[in-house]
Amino acid sequence: MRLLILNGPNLNMLGKREPEIYGSESLDDLMESLQTAFPDVQFEHFQSNDEGVLVDKIQSVVYKPVDGIILNLAAFTHYSYALYDTLNMVYCPKIEVHISHIYRREEFRHKSVTAKACNGIIAGLGTYGYHLGVHWMINHYSK
Ligand code: DQA
């Protein structure tokens, strides 16, 4: 199974960025822990701080399909109709992950414009949410 792990702005700073909210694990640590937990899954990881670059990456899946996308579009989640439209072009299963509990934070974080393009969302469970997303994908394809 090939899964794309897609991360948006500021997630490259994981571990250094507000650790009381996002934890002390770096993005590299997270990718390593996913590969260790799921040795049979082929992960591709992509992170960008740029909305257009994320649009291009999601579009690339149309030509080079993957079995699923686990995405954390970070702040773009809350207002990017461009990313919402792009996600709707891609028909593989998509799970939206948020490390923090977005519904317990500032009001602007309570809305996700991209969630409607996804099969489900996981929020507030720390970086373990990415692991849960992979579990869901495996279960989805085992049916
Ligand atoms: C986030 C939550 C967003 O509101 C925020 O802008 C992020 C990270 C999360 O993983 O909790 O950058 O997506």
Side-chain angles (χ1 to χ4, degrees):
M1 177 186 294
R2 289 185 57 232
L3 295 181
L4 172 62
I5 310 289
L6 189 64
N7 281 300
N10 298 310
L11 290 168
N12 55 314
M13 300 303 285
L14 221 53
K16 295 190 173 67
R17 168 193 191 198
E18 298 178 275
E20 65 288 358
I21 296 175
Y22 298 110
S24 55
E25 197 181 22
S26 71
L27 204 46
D28 284 347
D29 292 340
L30 168 60
M31 285 313 302
E32 217 178 288
S33 76
L34 283 174
Q35 195 61 79
T36 303
F38 303 100
D40 297 334
V41 175
Q42 201 185 322
F43 289 105
E44 181 189 354
H45 177 234
F46 189 85
Q47 186 277 332
S48 178
N49 294 323
D50 186 315
E51 185 180 19
V53 172
L54 290 164
V55 165
D56 290 344
K57 184 62 194 178
I58 298 167
Q59 283 185 6
S60 78
V61 170
V62 173
Y63 301 105
K64 194 179 174 231
V66 291
D67 297 309
I69 307 177
I70 293 169
L71 54 110
N72 182 349
L73 294 171
F76 291 141
T77 303
H78 310 300
Y79 64 90
S80 177
Y81 297 114
L83 283 163
Y84 170 65
D85 282 347
T86 316
L87 285 169
N88 279 323
M89 259 178 236
V90 174
Y91 293 105
C92 67
K94 288 152 277 177
I95 299 292
E96 178 168 306
V97 171
H98 297 287
I99 297 165
S100 65
H101 190 334
I102 52 174
Y103 299 101
R104 289 174 77 176
R105 300 184 64 197
E106 301 95 318
E107 205 162 329
F108 76 88
R109 296 184 205 275
H110 298 180
K111 182 175 177 184
S112 166
V113 300
T114 49
K116 197 167 183 282
C118 298
N119 296 64
I121 70 167
I122 298 166
L125 303 180
T127 54
Y128 190 60
Y130 291 81
H131 287 248
L132 292 172
V134 179
H135 276 297
W136 184 87
M137 292 284 176
I138 291 169
N139 184 58
H140 176 76
Y141 280 105
S142 70
K143 283 178 183 159

